[in-house]
Amino acid sequence: MFLPSFQLHNKIALVTGAGRGIGRALAIGLAEAGADVALFARTASDIEEVAHEIRALGRKAYPFTVDVTNREQIEEAVQQIIEQSGRLDILVNNAGMNIRSQALAVTDEEWDTIMQTNLKSAFLCSQIVGRHMQQKEYGRIINIASVAGQVALRTGVVYAATKAAMIQMTKVLALEWGKYGINVNSIGPWYFKTPLTEKILANPEYLAEIIARTPLGRVGELEELVGPAVFLASDAANYVTGQTLFVDGGMTIYGF
């Protein structure tokens, strides 16, 4: 009677930046929990591979090559998803990038690129999908933020600004949309093994610094992000909204 459901059967999810890394892991994890999954990414070959893996699980996959900073492309793809599946229940705003520069070296182009990819895309997708969720009076939106939105890290002032803004955006959308049955939450990862972090983590000194700041003493594995995402997407999180769940090995509680 008291065991909540973590299953996502009969749910339709959309994951942005789904071609590799965290997005790929979350897309496959949502499918393993029972959801059919739409996939957004700029590289068609990447999302076709992910779609193949999802279909091998017996779930439906809807791959779309989309620039998530472009409103028209998002609207067109979302409309196609709804026409094909009938609805959209879950949105995971994962698309993101970083250009590691000291603050004095950041260019206008770098600022605009990071802001649009990380923050504008999440807002556009939330707004467009949120209208549909409002009509259905149900929805789960999960923003992939970062510990960088909570604590200060070196060489990432623009990235950090986008992730801090995403955490605050999560709270405001949760406040506005709760009356429509839409739950909005964030996940804040620390370092995980992805294609984007591969070179950094290959540096022994940098890796040692990361581990020294992590109570669990290691970097994360991608599958360790799947459980939190499935939880926030499921009925088990019906009364959870406006929150950021840091999946960071304890990094954000670290003190000196």
Side-chain angles (χ1 to χ4, degrees):
M1 179 186 299
F2 295 104
L3 181 64
S5 174
F6 292 86
Q7 296 299 314
L8 301 178
H9 295 292
N10 301 316
K11 303 295 186 185
I12 309 297
L14 165 60
V15 180
T16 71
R20 60 185 68 180
I22 291 174
R24 174 184 176 276
L26 295 184
I28 294 172
L30 293 173
E32 288 177 333
D36 296 331
V37 187
L39 310 164
F40 281 7
R42 293 186 180 185
T43 306
S45 58
D46 286 345
I47 52 173
E48 287 294 346
E49 290 181 11
V50 179
H52 177 75
E53 293 185 63
I54 289 172
R55 289 167 183 147
L57 296 169
R59 309 312 311 169
K60 295 179 181 178
Y62 308 91
F64 292 88
T65 305
V66 175
D67 176 357
V68 289
T69 68
N70 185 296
R71 177 182 294 275
E72 289 71 25
Q73 290 187 28
I74 300 167
E75 288 178 333
E76 181 179 350
V78 167
Q79 183 60 36
Q80 290 185 47
I81 296 166
I82 293 170
E83 288 175 356
Q84 294 178 45
S85 66
R87 66 188 190 282
L88 249 177
D89 305 296
I90 302 158
L91 168 64
V92 180
N93 286 310
N94 167 73
M97 54 88 68
N98 191 13
I99 301 172
R100 296 178 182 277
S101 300
Q102 295 286 342
L104 293 178
V106 173
T107 66
D108 290 353
E109 182 180 4
E110 288 174 348
W111 175 275
D112 291 342
T113 299
I114 299 170
M115 281 287 175
Q116 290 188 39
T117 304
N118 294 3
L119 186 59
K120 180 182 178 181
S121 70
F123 177 73
L124 289 178
C125 289
S126 296
Q127 186 184 58
I128 292 165
V129 175
R131 289 195 179 101
H132 170 74
M133 291 177 171
Q134 178 181 339
Q135 294 174 357
K136 298 294 184 180
E137 296 188 335
Y138 178 88
R140 297 286 188 271
I141 297 176
I142 303 168
N143 297 315
I144 305 303
S146 169
V147 298
Q150 178 79 3
V151 301
L153 304 174
R154 296 193 300 272
T155 65
V157 62
V158 188
Y159 178 84
T162 63
K163 296 305 183 178
M166 180 177 282
I167 290 171
Q168 191 65 12
M169 182 178 73
T170 296
K171 296 176 183 179
V172 175
L173 294 183
L175 185 63
E176 286 193 17
W177 295 351
K179 61 185 178 183
Y180 303 119
I182 302 172
N183 295 46
V184 187
N185 293 287
S186 294
I187 294 174
W190 177 220
Y191 272 96
F192 281 77
K193 297 176 182 178
T194 72
L196 291 178
T197 63
E198 184 177 7
K199 290 183 179 180
I200 295 172
L201 297 178
N203 181 328
E205 292 183 359
Y206 196 88
L207 177 60
E209 184 178 349
I210 291 169
I211 291 174
R213 293 193 63 181
T214 309
L216 290 185
R218 61 179 177 84
V219 298
E221 302 288 346
L222 285 176
E223 58 266 26
E224 293 172 315
L225 285 167
V226 172
V230 169
F231 163 65
L232 291 175
S234 74
D235 289 346
N238 279 347
Y239 204 55
V240 180
T241 196
Q243 305 303 309
T244 298
L245 174 55
F246 289 103
V247 186
D248 62 357
M251 181 269 188
T252 51
I253 65 169
Y254 195 86
F256 293 94

